[in-house]
Every structure is written in C-alpha cells, then in structure tokens.
Amino acid sequence: MERRLTAWLSPPGIDFISSQAEADYKSRVTRISDAVRLRKPDRVPVIPRIYSFTAAYCGYSEKDMWYDVDKAIDAATRCTLELQFDVMIPASIPMGRANEILEEKQRKWAGYGLPDDAGVQFIEDEYMKADEYDAFILDESDFRWRTYLPRVWGIAGPFAKLSPLSTPGVASFGLPDVQEAFQKLMKAGEEIQRWEGKIAAANRKLIEAGFPDLRMASGLGGAPFDRLGDNLRGQRGIVMDMYRQPDKLLEALDVMTRKKVLQIHESSDKVKLGTCPIVGQPLHKGADSFMSDEQFRTFYWPQLREINMALIEEGFIPQFRAQGGYNSRLEDIRDLPKGKVIWLFDMTDMQRAKEVLGDIACIQGNVPLSLINTGTPEETAAYSRHLIDTVGKNGGFMLDAGGGIDNKGKVENVRAMIQTAKEYGVY
C-alpha cells in the first residue's frame, strides 16, 4: 500500500501545468493518504461524489450527459476547476447511443424511456431464474453469454444458439442472425471506444491541473451478494433464495468469491503504479433494513471480507460505500486491518461509527442529500462542522455527502460544505 500511495503522489508521465498545480496535487494526495492511514492531515479532505449535479451546474440536461461527450467533459471540467474539491470530478463516457445499439432492457435513462432531466431507472426482474443456479455455478461465462445476455440485450437473442463455451463450435457463427448480433455488438464497442480517448484526455488534463483522480477503473472489489442480487436474481429473488435454497446461494457466492480473489491476484501487477489505489465499491444490499445480522454474517460479509483482504494484500485500499444504515453491522465490520480501508456511510450514526471503527478505518460521509437539496448554506455548514467535531476528531475522516449529489443539489450548499472543510476542518 505504501508503495502504491508513494507512486500516486508522483504519477509517471504527468506534465503539470505549473509548479503550483503540482504542489496542489501533492498536497491533495497527501491529505487523502493521511486520512486513510488514520493520521491527522493538514485539514479534513472534502471529496463529494458528484453525479448529475454537473449537468445542472452547467445548464445541461441529463440527456446531454448520456449522448454528448463534449458537454460531459465541459461539465466535469468546469465543476472541478470552479468548485475546487480535493479530487477531480471525472467525465464519464456517454453510454446512451451504445446502450441503444445493444437494445438495453435493464435500464431506462434520460432520452431513452425517461424525460431529459431524469435519472437512471433500473428495471427490476429475475434475469436469472431460481432453478438456474447449477448452470450458473458450473460455467458462469457460458451462462452469461447464452442465457443472461439474450434476456438483457435485445440484440443478443441469437447468442442462445451458440455452442457451449466449454466446447466451442464454429457452425453457429455462420448463422446470419448470430453474425448480425455480433456486428451490432462490435458497433456498440466502437461507439464507446470513440469517446474513451476524449474522456481519458480530459481527465488527464484535470490531473495536470492538480486534481487527483479517485477512481480505479480495474473493476476490482464488490460484494458477490450484490452482484448476484442486483442484475441476476433481483431483490425479491435473492431474498427468497436465502430461505428457500440457501445452500445453492452460498455455493454460488463461494464460486464468485474465489473467482474474484483470483482475478485480484492475477491483475494486480497490471494496475500501473501511479494509479489511485483506492477501490470504490458500492454496497447495495447489506444495510440493516435489508437482512438480519445473522444473514449478513452468512451471505454478505464473509465473502466481501475475503475479496477485500485480497485487495489489501495487493496494496489496494478498499472504499466501502455503505448504502443505507449499517448501525447493527459496526462490530462485525471491524474485522479488517488497521489503517487500510475507508468506510463511506450514508444513513449510519456517524458518532457511533467513529467510536466503534475510528481506531481501525477511515470514515467518510455523511452530509445528507436531503439537506444539500432542500436546506440552507448555514444548515449545511453547521452539519459539516458537527461531523468535523465528532467524526473528524484526531484525523481519519473525509467529508462527503451521504450519496452522489444529483441535479437537485443546491450549488450554495455544495460550496458551504467545501468551505467548511477548508476553513473549519484545519487541524
């Protein structure tokens, strides 16, 4: 971890626009690194996650962010330079056109089934059936290609005609509808590739201007229970599985965990030194209100912990984004090495989190989105000061919103949170 943090402090190949930009970059990385290692930085880092707020801030629609790469870059760049967080607000790849080519069935978004300023809407369903665990466990890749993708992409119906991936046959690739499906898949990939170069160049410029990139785009981390429940079994399906077929569920979770651990160890050397070592992972279904403590200790935490111990072993820093309340989980999640992880809380009692986890983990959060969306700058600043006084005591804290700030966030409240960290959060 120390080697990765040192390299992140001086990323290779970056030509800063000025000596001041380089100094600012190093101070921001140092500030975050000190907080992670439970030291007192010069002040509390402020690193809110920004979602559709960037579009509203710049006068764009949410649809623009899905379809116009230049507007997506402009929004991210202006928000970063004008608001001055401790990290960049990265531009993301507009996926609207690519998803349309794929005939995406799992989501609606602005300009595709929803109004131009709407957020993303996930279409809940059991995309893996209750009796398909054996096929999934036996060969997940084959199951995804020949069974799952035809259910979630309109273009992928012909993939069901492919031979099993374990015994590939050539004949099915000669079928006209299979060839057409692959042509469309290639077209979607080309659409994404077309924008990636622009996005990467824009994000690099923000690093050169002095703003660290907090993302690590290797796809590591995450809870197997969430992966299985989010896009495969669905909320209702996976809850029923905990009662009706717990052994099959545990077997699938075990296979997914072992694969992820292997992936982490195999890909560790491919993650270039100088890349941010923090691995963000949203935790969707581990909240107090979703499952009992016993179920959390059986179906959720052991698998998540094993994966993240592998990440820690390879020098990465897990950032757990605990959605919902984790008040009854705090004692369980102490079981991690000291100064190696970040817990970002949304609806958890922050003072108790500090009492239970403060000697183990860096804590991040949790200015409520309801306050940012509907409150006043004075109320936002007061809440931020309270967090700094309680959770920020003696270091190991980063100020953030409870969730990603969307297009309903008030600019004056976001500025109040930033200024409070910079002025009141000095150690």
Side-chain angles (χ1 to χ4, degrees):
M1 186 184 83
E2 292 299 326
R3 184 167 61 97
R4 292 190 184 277
L5 286 174
T6 299
W8 187 31
L9 190 64
S10 301
I14 293 297
D15 184 15
F16 291 100
I17 61 175
S18 66
S19 58
Q20 185 61 54
E22 182 175 9
D24 289 343
Y25 176 90
K26 291 181 182 297
S27 67
R28 288 172 175 135
V29 169
T30 300
R31 190 173 297 132
I32 295 167
S33 300
D34 284 347
V36 168
R37 291 180 286 199
L38 308 182
R39 303 171 183 172
K40 283 186 182 181
D42 59 340
R43 65 162 171 81
V44 170
V46 55
I47 52 173
R49 284 149 301 125
I50 301 294
Y51 295 163
S52 56
F53 176 86
T54 59
Y57 180 85
C58 295
Y60 297 136
S61 69
E62 186 68 6
K63 180 180 178 181
D64 290 330
M65 300 298 98
W66 279 89
Y67 290 93
D68 192 321
V69 68
D70 295 320
K71 289 181 179 178
I73 289 172
D74 181 56
T77 301
R78 285 170 56 188
C79 275
T80 299
L81 298 179
E82 293 174 15
L83 294 176
Q84 294 279 311
F85 296 114
D86 283 318
V87 293
M88 73 160 68
I89 301 169
S92 56
I93 299 171
M95 290 290 292
R97 179 61 186 143
N99 282 347
E100 285 189 15
I101 293 170
L102 296 172
E103 299 173 21
E104 167 72 61
K105 297 179 180 180
Q106 282 188 316
R107 293 170 182 83
K108 296 179 182 179
W109 58 89
Y112 189 84
L114 294 177
D116 288 358
D117 282 315
V120 182
Q121 183 180 76
F122 187 79
I123 302 172
E124 182 76 20
D125 201 356
E126 294 185 14
Y127 297 102
M128 168 182 156
K129 308 303 180 184
D131 60 355
E132 292 177 334
Y133 269 97
D134 286 340
F136 177 83
I137 292 167
L138 182 64
D139 192 335
E140 180 181 349
S141 296
D142 181 75
F143 177 84
R144 287 187 179 275
W145 270 98
R146 299 195 305 129
T147 304
Y148 172 71
L149 288 182
R151 292 171 180 169
V152 300
W153 291 345
I155 69 161
F159 291 172
K161 299 178 181 180
L162 296 173
S163 301
L165 298 188
S166 57
T167 55
V170 177
S172 58
F173 289 98
L175 298 172
D177 56 348
V178 171
Q179 292 181 343
E180 182 182 2
F182 274 105
Q183 288 293 331
K184 290 181 179 178
L185 187 62
M186 292 165 60
K187 186 177 180 181
E190 290 170 355
E191 183 73 19
I192 295 172
Q193 288 285 341
R194 184 163 31 249
W195 304 122
E196 279 191 338
K198 285 188 173 183
I199 294 290
N203 290 341
R204 183 184 181 90
K205 286 182 179 179
L206 291 177
I207 296 177
E208 293 172 344
F211 296 91
D213 187 350
L214 202 62
R215 303 167 307 149
M216 201 189 81
S218 59
L220 303 177
F225 189 93
D226 288 340
R227 287 183 56 216
L228 190 60
D230 286 351
N231 298 320
L232 289 163
R233 290 293 292 127
Q235 300 256 16
R236 179 183 181 278
I238 202 164
V239 168
M240 300 303 289
D241 293 341
M242 287 194 290
Y243 292 95
R244 290 181 173 175
Q245 46 181 345
D247 292 341
K248 284 294 181 187
L249 174 56
L250 284 171
E251 185 179 358
L253 294 175
D254 179 63
V255 169
M256 296 170 75
T257 300
R258 286 187 281 116
K259 286 181 179 178
K260 181 62 71 172
V261 168
L262 181 62
Q263 177 196 358
I264 290 167
H265 291 310
E266 287 183 342
S267 63
S268 173
D269 290 340
K270 299 176 184 177
V271 179
K272 296 179 181 179
L273 287 176
T275 302
C276 173
I278 296 173
V279 182
Q281 40 201 308
L283 306 183
H284 296 154
K285 293 177 165 59
D288 302 336
S289 58
F290 189 87
M291 61 175 69
S292 70
D293 290 341
E294 181 181 353
Q295 289 168 333
F296 181 80
R297 296 176 189 131
T298 302
F299 298 104
Y300 202 92
W301 178 242
Q303 301 82 3
L304 179 62
R305 182 185 183 279
E306 183 175 348
I307 287 169
N308 282 280
M309 288 300 294
L311 284 172
I312 292 169
E313 183 179 340
E314 296 293 350
F316 300 114
I317 301 166
Q319 180 201 47
F320 301 101
R321 301 172 184 171
Q323 299 179 0
Y326 266 60
N327 294 297
S328 70
R329 317 293 196 213
L330 294 175
E331 296 292 345
D332 290 320
I333 63 178
R334 271 186 59 86
D335 187 21
L336 289 167
K338 179 179 179 179
K340 304 286 186 181
V341 303
I342 304 165
W343 277 98
L344 194 169
F345 290 119
D346 173 17
M347 301 174 69
T348 301
D349 183 329
M350 294 292 278
Q351 187 165 346
R352 184 164 180 270
K354 181 70 172 183
E355 293 168 357
V356 177
L357 297 176
D359 63 333
I360 295 295
C362 174
I363 298 173
Q364 184 176 341
N366 83 332
V367 180
L369 291 182
S370 57
L371 180 59
I372 292 174
N373 291 353
T374 66
T376 66
E378 293 75 20
E379 291 169 333
T380 304
Y383 195 100
S384 300
R385 288 195 299 270
H386 174 70
L387 287 174
I388 292 169
D389 287 339
T390 54
V391 193
K393 186 177 181 180
N394 298 319
F397 173 63
M398 296 191 287
L399 186 64
D400 191 357
I405 302 174
D406 61 18
N407 56 8
K408 298 180 180 64
K410 293 183 178 180
V411 175
E412 60 269 28
N413 292 343
V414 174
R415 291 188 186 278
M417 180 169 54
I418 298 168
Q419 287 305 116
T420 303
K422 292 183 176 181
E423 296 171 4
Y424 188 79
V426 176
Y427 287 101

